Amino acid sequence: MVLGIIPFVWTSIVPLLGSVETGQTSAQETATPTPTSTTQPVQVSPEARQEELKQRLLGQARGYEAILQSEPENQTALLALFETRKELVQLGAADIKQTIEPLERLIRLNPNDIVFQLELGSIYAQQQRLDLAIAIYDNATKLDPQDYRPLLAKGIVLQLQGKKEEAKPLFNRATEIAPVAFKEQVQAQIQQIEILTSAPKASPAPGQPVAPAPAATPNSNVQTQPVAPAPAAAPKRETPTPPVAPTPAATPQSDAQTQPVAPTPATTPENNLTNPTTGDKETQNP
């Protein structure tokens, strides 16, 4: 149940984890396509606009893939391909695992880049490959013990696994060393995770009072239902049945038939006589 909220959690934490170094590049990239998108939406529907964006991103991805075929270590093309595929994932036009390959190549070319490792760790977390995500965050912490982001990310993974005691010191340390500009955001993120992970345990408690409430409502419904049909349905069913009952009340006729049947067999045995000479039965008429 708790692991099911991982995609939701990471959509909210990824901007915080990468905001220090990748925030400016993402803002520039999102600002570039807006002029083209603002002129077209006036004439096309949102569905058509999303389809146009998807096709444009797919074309860009194919272009970056073509560049990487001839220049496998072109980091600009690798980063652009990763960002493009990530946007396609958000649009539902690509699988998240397609973002791993260019990101792993970027990490091999930049082994000390914590941002790339945080991105890869978040992808592993969304895939619920939590052990791999923790290994990535541990490695990032070794690269820079004063970076709060790997500590925060690992603490969130442990919190989602139910290891709250292990996550608590990581949350405290991340809050302590976080820059002043991000300290409040870190605290808010930690509180959000704690609320989400404690909701499944608190939900049964309010669920119990809710259970008797609907149990009482059917009783009230049972009372309201007989009131409505009693005046309406009962007279309709009673009026047809009485006329049907007197018409088949031909029961006295059947009684009249049984009365003549009774004297008939009573006279037949008395009038039947046996001839003592022949042994045949003879009928005498009076």
Side-chain angles (χ1 to χ4, degrees):
M1 296 296 293
V2 176
L3 295 180
I5 66 176
I6 288 181
F8 167 75
V9 170
W10 246 260
T11 54
S12 60
I13 192 178
V14 166
L16 180 60
L17 295 179
S19 57
V20 176
E21 299 185 21
T22 61
Q24 296 180 353
T25 56
S26 61
Q28 293 176 356
E29 292 176 358
T30 53
T32 305
T34 37
T36 58
S37 61
T38 52
T39 56
Q40 296 179 355
V42 179
Q43 300 178 352
V44 297
S45 63
E47 293 78 8
R49 184 175 56 196
Q50 184 174 359
E51 180 65 22
E52 186 273 337
L53 176 60
K54 183 179 72 173
Q55 295 300 327
R56 178 168 60 84
L57 291 173
L58 289 172
Q60 292 178 0
R62 287 191 293 267
Y64 299 138
E65 291 169 356
I67 294 174
L68 291 172
Q69 288 181 356
S70 57
E71 303 176 36
E73 296 185 355
N74 189 322
Q75 296 189 40
T76 303
L78 283 172
L79 181 58
L81 179 60
F82 166 71
E83 295 291 345
T84 302
R85 288 180 177 178
K86 187 166 65 172
E87 291 187 53
L88 288 170
V89 171
Q90 295 175 355
L91 293 175
D95 193 287
I96 192 173
K97 64 183 180 181
Q98 295 177 345
T99 62
I100 296 179
E101 188 267 338
L103 192 55
E104 288 179 338
R105 291 166 67 178
L106 284 170
I107 293 176
R108 285 195 297 267
L109 296 172
N110 303 274
N112 297 327
D113 194 309
I114 294 181
V115 175
F116 292 150
Q117 296 191 21
L118 291 175
E119 290 278 5
L120 183 59
S122 68
I123 292 173
Y124 285 152
Q126 292 180 67
Q127 292 180 321
Q128 300 189 9
R129 302 164 69 181
L130 303 184
D131 293 337
L132 292 177
I134 291 177
I136 292 291
Y137 297 141
D138 287 340
N139 185 66
T141 301
K142 292 178 182 179
L143 294 175
D144 188 359
Q146 297 301 316
D147 195 322
Y148 75 97
R149 294 170 297 175
L151 297 173
L152 176 61
K154 180 181 177 180
I156 291 175
V157 172
L158 293 175
Q159 184 80 9
L160 294 173
Q161 288 180 319
K163 302 176 181 179
K164 298 181 180 180
E165 296 300 325
E166 299 181 29
K168 187 174 181 179
L170 295 176
F171 287 153
N172 294 337
R173 179 59 179 167
T175 304
E176 178 183 353
I177 65 177
V180 178
F182 298 101
K183 196 175 293 289
E184 292 184 359
Q185 299 182 33
V186 171
Q187 293 175 345
Q189 186 67 53
I190 293 173
Q191 292 178 358
Q192 181 184 13
I193 297 301
E194 291 176 346
I195 292 174
L196 289 174
T197 53
S198 62
K201 293 184 178 180
S203 56
Q208 292 177 354
V210 174
T217 50
N219 294 334
S220 59
N221 293 334
V222 174
Q223 294 176 357
T224 53
Q225 289 177 356
V227 173
K236 292 181 180 180
R237 294 180 179 177
E238 290 175 358
T239 47
T241 50
V244 175
T247 45
T251 52
Q253 296 177 359
S254 60
D255 295 335
Q257 293 176 359
T258 53
Q259 292 175 358
V261 173
T264 306
T267 55
T268 50
E270 295 177 357
N271 297 328
N272 291 332
L273 300 177
T274 304
N275 191 335
T277 307
T278 60
D280 296 332
K281 291 184 179 181
E282 295 180 356
T283 302
Q284 295 181 357
N285 295 324

